[in-house]
Amino acid sequence: MTFKIIIPARYQSSRLEGKPLLEIDGVPMVIHVLKQSLKSKADEVVVATDDQRIFDVVVKFGYKAIMTNLNHRSGTDRVAEVVDLMGWTDNEIVVNVQGDEPLINPSLINQVAEYLDDRKDVFVSTACHSITHYNDFVNPNNVKVVLDKNSQALYFSRAPIPFPRDEFNQKTIGREGFYKHIGIYAYRAKFLKGFKDIEQAPLEDIEKLEQLRILYAGYKIGVVQSIDTPFPGVDTPEDLERVRKLLSN
């Protein structure tokens, strides 16, 4: 199996401007993401950016970057543009690794790609991890996912799902069936080429979750379960300091 990795990296961020260039242990965050991605089985890794500063840093460190449109409405649209620009075939598997995941596990990248390689009837895959703590379950910043018997997504939500009707406590949440979504995706290139034609869904607008557009349009999303607890991404200044401490140790 072969696959490609695209790392979308925008300069603008509502909470951390210039996030991909913020240094962790003396190295820009996006370079950490690149290095982790290159430990996977991918045969090509590309940074997709809308900012010349990010492009220049990636090239300076000896990696591949490509400039994309400034006005994309989502990271998936940015990834889809790169697929067109690179001329990849319809059957190519493309993994979207977020540019703010400097501690992304390479084995998780392989997992989502291998799911698509095994399941030819599925066009998109992502990942999840078991929720065992009540606070994680009720936190709206943690996106939850409910799965069917084939480990495919039924729904994603910021709300606590599935909701235990009869008993709602820590003991209940510790059971199997409560999953936090991990924001990594693998796609077939053919799907990405048609993604721009899928209209934004009402559910997507309500929850502010892009993946609901895919479910609403009738596509399946396969979900692999990460055995290891995923390391934190970087969304806030507090996240940044936490990751800096982890890498310095």
Side-chain angles (χ1 to χ4, degrees):
M1 181 194 68
T2 61
F3 63 92
K4 314 291 187 185
I5 292 176
I6 299 175
I7 303 171
R10 293 179 63 249
Y11 189 86
Q12 296 299 330
S13 172
S14 58
R15 288 178 284 190
L16 281 174
E17 186 172 1
K19 183 163 56 171
L21 300 182
L22 296 176
E23 290 195 352
I24 301 172
D25 204 22
V27 177
M29 186 187 308
V30 68
I31 303 302
H32 284 286
V33 180
L34 268 161
K35 288 181 176 180
Q36 289 298 103
S37 298
L38 287 164
K39 294 176 185 176
S40 73
K41 297 178 182 178
D43 61 353
E44 191 169 3
V45 180
V46 182
V47 172
T49 185
D50 58 1
D51 191 275
Q52 190 66 45
R53 289 163 290 189
I54 297 172
F55 179 93
D56 291 343
V57 164
V58 172
V59 172
K60 176 185 174 183
F61 275 83
Y63 300 111
K64 185 181 295 186
I66 190 164
M67 291 294 295
T68 56
N69 193 302
L70 184 65
N71 299 315
H72 284 307
R73 57 182 180 173
S74 72
T76 307
D77 289 294
R78 195 173 307 282
V79 169
E81 181 187 357
V82 174
V83 169
D84 286 336
L85 292 172
M86 299 297 289
W88 291 335
T89 65
D90 285 353
N91 292 325
E92 195 71 66
I93 293 173
V94 181
V95 179
N96 177 349
V97 175
Q98 301 298 321
D100 56 7
E101 296 280 351
L103 297 172
I104 184 74
N105 191 334
S107 66
L108 184 61
I109 298 174
N110 294 335
Q111 271 187 276
V112 294
E114 287 164 355
Y115 184 100
L116 289 191
D117 189 55
D118 292 338
R119 295 292 305 270
K120 306 301 182 185
D121 60 322
V122 181
F123 289 86
V124 183
S125 64
T126 187
C128 71
H129 182 71
S130 294
I131 295 176
T132 57
H133 296 290
Y134 174 86
N135 288 341
D136 290 336
F137 186 57
V138 298
N139 185 347
N141 293 320
N142 291 333
V143 176
K144 276 68 71 175
V145 59
V146 176
L147 308 180
D148 68 11
K149 67 179 182 179
N150 298 314
S151 292
Q152 294 173 356
L154 290 170
Y155 193 66
F156 297 86
S157 182
R158 298 185 182 280
I161 58 169
F163 190 85
R165 188 195 68 172
D166 296 330
E167 185 181 23
F168 190 24
N169 55 39
Q170 177 62 53
K171 184 177 179 180
T172 306
I173 305 309
R175 296 195 316 231
E176 186 177 353
F178 299 89
Y179 299 110
K180 176 183 176 182
H181 178 229
I182 303 172
I184 181 173
Y185 295 92
Y187 309 92
R188 297 194 190 281
K190 181 178 180 180
F191 173 85
L192 287 169
K193 292 174 182 179
F195 181 77
K196 62 182 180 297
D197 298 323
I198 302 176
E199 294 184 4
Q200 188 174 29
L203 291 173
E204 175 189 4
D205 186 53
I206 293 168
E207 295 257 19
K208 300 297 185 265
L209 295 175
E210 178 189 341
Q211 61 268 41
L212 291 177
R213 186 189 317 177
I214 299 171
L215 288 183
Y216 191 82
Y219 291 96
K220 299 175 182 178
I221 301 179
V223 185
V224 301
Q225 295 184 36
S226 172
I227 298 173
D228 299 321
T229 302
F231 285 105
V234 178
D235 289 319
T236 66
E238 293 76 21
D239 294 337
L240 180 62
E241 290 309 310
R242 187 180 306 117
V243 170
R244 281 173 171 165
K245 288 179 181 178
L246 284 169
L247 278 175
S248 67
N249 291 332

